[in-house]
Amino acid sequence: MEMAVFAVFALLALGSSLVVVAHKSPIYSTLSLVLTLFSVAVLFVLLGAPFIATLQLLIYAGAILVLFLFVIMLLNVGREEGIPGGHRAQLVTAILGALAFAAALWLLLIPTLGTGSHAPLTEELVSLSGLAQELFAEYLLPFEIVGLLLLVAVIGATVVARRPTPDELAGGGGGSGFPGEPGSVNALDDAGAADSTAASWAADADRAGGGARPASFPGGTGAGAGPGVAARTAAPGARP
Amino acid sequence: MQAIDYLWLIPALPLAGAAVNGVLAYRQAPKPAVTAVALGAPLASLLVAAACIWQYLAGGLYPRAVEQVSYAWTPGTVDGLHINVAFLLDPLAVVMLFIVTFVGFLIHVYSVGYMGHDEGYARYFAYLNLFMAAMLTLVLGNNYLVMFFGWEGVGLCSYLLIGFYYDQEFPPYAGKKAFIVNRIGDCAFLIGMFALVARFGTLDFMPIFHRLATEPRLGMASYAGGLSFAAFVGLCFFIGAIGKSAQIPLYVWLPDAMAGPTPVSALIHAATMVTAGVYMAVRSNVIYQLTPGVSLFVAIIGTATALLAATIGMAQNDIKKVLAYSTVSQLGYMFMAVGVGAYHAALFHVLTHAFFKALLFLGSGSVIHAMGGEQDMQKMGGLKKHLPVTYRTFVVGSLALAGIPVFAGFFSKDEILAAAAASGMPLHWLFWGVGWITAGLTAFYMFRAVYLTFDGTFRGTHEQEHHLHESPPVMTVPLIILAVGAVVAGWIEIPLLHGTQWFHRFLESVVATLPAIGAIQGGAPTGTRELGTPTEAILIVLSVGLALAGILLARSIYGGAGGAERGLAFEERYPALHRLLANKWYVDELYDAIVVRPLHGLSWVFYRVVDVLLVDGSIRAGAAVTRATGDLGSLTTTGNVRNYALYFFLGVLVLFWWIAR
Amino acid sequence: MSGIHLVNESMSVPVSWYLMLSVALFAIGTAGALTRRNGISIFLSIEVMLNAANLALVAYSRQLDQRTGQILVFFVLAVAAAEAAVGLALFIAVYRQRRTIDINRINLMRH
């Protein structure tokens, strides 16, 4: 029974991750990733870590992936054209490299095949209180530090993604600062502006320091960073 | 409270004056303030010196030497070496002290008038006071190091004052030349000091001289390079004197030093600094008495220098250059005296020379001042009408220099010649002979200068003629005082009247008489023999006669109306010779070819090859390697994020392999 | 591999199988991260890799009978969240500047 469950969800994980990696459309990749996460969560349960599985679903699938979706929609990321990854040679190299890596690791693991804990899972082993006990006793310091890390990440993300103030525009515009004319809060989707392979931007992209900017830029701080931040803080129930 | 206790004040006062004037120069203080300090310091020093000398002579300290230790410089902490900042007063120091403070003060007074309109007035006096301080340190020091300190100090001031007009091109060059040529001598001086320290463990005069005098074998034992110890040290010191006192071959700086203000030439390059070498030699007479070989060398150099300089002086048109070569020539006389062992005669000549040469230089300064800066005698003439005081004092000085009786130079020069004739040294008649001829030349060129400058008709421009005026009293009074000295200073030692050898007796305690060197050496004794009175009288007649002949010859050619034209015609009769003399025997050009050019060449090699190619090259090579490596490394900065991810991955692989191995 | 016999008795899945799955997922994620041109897609691949790591951690936790692995997963989750937030913010900023998230075009740092 356990084996069956394992088999099913293992294969599901593998398959969906392949889709994540290979699909041209980012939306599909993201949704595939949701599936992967779900499968892995089940595997977590099989391994006796239900709490972790829950966390995975809540945080990973519920918050982070929603963030991804928002950003994808915000930037209107389109399908990738051509071979995902560009040069065929590069593609082949990367894949072969990954395969080689996997093979190497597998070779290391083969001797250990068949071993593994056979102790049955007990209520106590799996319990949340035990985990909490250990977390807040032995690993209290890392816990606090991670909290700090999250705070920093929040601040950082806000600063990086916000719309620059008029001062900054006056002072640092034209260089590597954040461009954009204030005022316009048009919708994100300018015609072809967000297309990652749009040739019309090829000229800009190669110029250091940015070139012509469209009359309206995709959203200000409110629209851009808002969903991200909001999604972060409002943990479950993200808006699509 | 004794005056002698304040011996140290004598050099300290001018030093303080220099410091104050330096500050005043910086702050552009008003002239009266500067003058007060500038004259006050040397005057105070002179008064203290007078008090000390008075006490020394009248207080019964003579003829002992009095030492005063001011400060223990190295109190024996290194190898037991004791060197003090200490001063010594003995008959020799008394004479030098008198010369430096008295003549020095007079020249300071004169400078107030001469430099009165100069912008660097305060700076000038700061340097001049500093010079006085250094020179006084030199003559008052009780050990070679303090003397050397003063030696270097006067060299520095000489450089500063020669290059006083630093905005022109030549004076700084001349200052540099003086300093560098001096340095060569200083190097040898240092080596001499090292030898003394190594052998005696001290540099104090009294202990060294005492030991050498009582144990002559110490000095005569073989030391280095085939020379005895005394010979080695004496030679080293003498090379130092060659540089400082402008003898062959290091005299070339002195004529160019005339680029400095004229009072500087008077004080430094006539009366005091250049005689420091003679002072040193007289002070170290014990050493020189122990080495007849080096003494002979000294005499040869001195004699040759005297003759050479006199020949050059005959063909110079710049009045200061004539006096400069004359100084070199007279210094040669002094070393001739040192060489034949007549140390008192050398010092006597220093004394009289200080008076009449300073007088002559200051007089020439007066002339130049009246001529608005012109120094070419060919453009002068007939100045005796316009500058009576200057003229008369100048003639007095010239007579003294020429060695005419009654005037000071006669007595001292005759003393030297008599000593040369009487000496037991080999070649001594040659020395007398050359000295005799040089005396004739001296009289000739000096009066050539007199006639060209003061006699005949004025050959300058109209503006210059309007500008001609006698100098103010602040300048003429020192001239008069010096003229009196140029007459009277010689009367302390009259030849033929042996009862009047005051000067000689005065210095007896300074000049050691070493017992029977001849016996120890097995060679000819070098002590002076006494000339018989008839011989001496004949020699006097000969030298005075030749001097008078020189003056008359000069008068016949250059004197009176049309003198300058006659002079030029005369010079044109011997064009090659005249060119040779006027161009100083091309010695400067010779040095340029032998020393300066090769040095430049060597420098060029060191610059182009060693510095640019090797040193810079290796550094640039290093930089190039770094840059190449950087360029190579920067190939990885493709800007392509995917490449970076790949590098990541590769790094992880490596790490993984590392951990798993 | 040990044989699979489909029997009704419940047989534990050897932990090592989980590990191998983790390796496979990791390799897939790596391949994607190195290969994709779209920035968001690269990000997603990285999330796959993180997940694989999480799986390995939990597996080891099970094998070694310790909770350390799970706690570590806890932290990894937090870090992944922070990283995602900041990374996406960066993407937004870059997009404003360059109007693209094709990483081939975001190459200002080339020399």
Side-chain angles (χ1 to χ4, degrees), chain B residues 153-173:
Chain B
V154 297
L156 171 69
C157 294
S158 173
Y159 162 78
L160 289 171
L161 284 164
I162 293 174
F164 185 73
Y165 301 116
Y166 57 80
D167 43 3
Q168 296 169 26
E169 202 186 316
F170 185 67
Y173 166 76

Side-chain angles (χ1 to χ4, degrees), chain B residues 306-327:
Chain B
L307 181 61
L308 178 74
T311 58
I312 300 178
M314 290 202 304
Q316 298 300 310
N317 285 326
D318 181 335
I319 189 171
K320 283 180 73 173
K321 286 265 170 65
V322 174
L323 295 174
Y325 282 106
S326 170
T327 304

Side-chain angles (χ1 to χ4, degrees), chain A residues 85-86 90 97-98 101 105 108, chain B residues 640 642-643 649 652-653 656 660:
Chain A
Q90 228 171 359
F101 182 61
L105 284 178
L108 282 177
Chain B
N640 188 338
R642 237 169 339 158
N643 283 358
F649 184 55
V652 168
L653 285 182
F656 189 73

Side-chain angles (χ1 to χ4, degrees), chain B residues 158 161-163 170 174-175 178 252-261 264-265 269 320-321 324:
Chain B
S158 173
L161 284 164
I162 293 174
F170 185 67
V252 290
W253 63 271
L254 203 148
D256 286 337
M258 297 299 110
V264 167
S265 307
H269 307 127
K320 283 180 73 173
K321 286 265 170 65

Side-chain angles (χ1 to χ4, degrees), chain B residues 290-310:
Chain B
L290 287 172
T291 164
V294 171
S295 292
L296 178 64
F297 179 65
V298 171
I300 292 175
I301 294 277
T303 314
T305 307
L307 181 61
L308 178 74

Side-chain angles (χ1 to χ4, degrees), chain B residues 7 18 24 34 100 108 133 170 234 246 251 279 294 404 423 443 464 512 590 651:
Chain B
L7 202 56
L24 292 182
V34 174
V100 176
H108 273 78
F170 185 67
Y251 68 90
Y279 162 73
V294 171
I404 303 300
S423 126
Q464 283 173 331
L590 185 69

Side-chain angles (χ1 to χ4, degrees), chain C residues 95-106:
Chain C
Y95 182 81
R96 279 214 200 96
Q97 172 79 258
R98 309 287 263 139
R99 282 284 169 273
T100 176
I101 48 176
D102 177 350
I103 59 166
N104 275 349
R105 295 209 192 286
I106 306 173

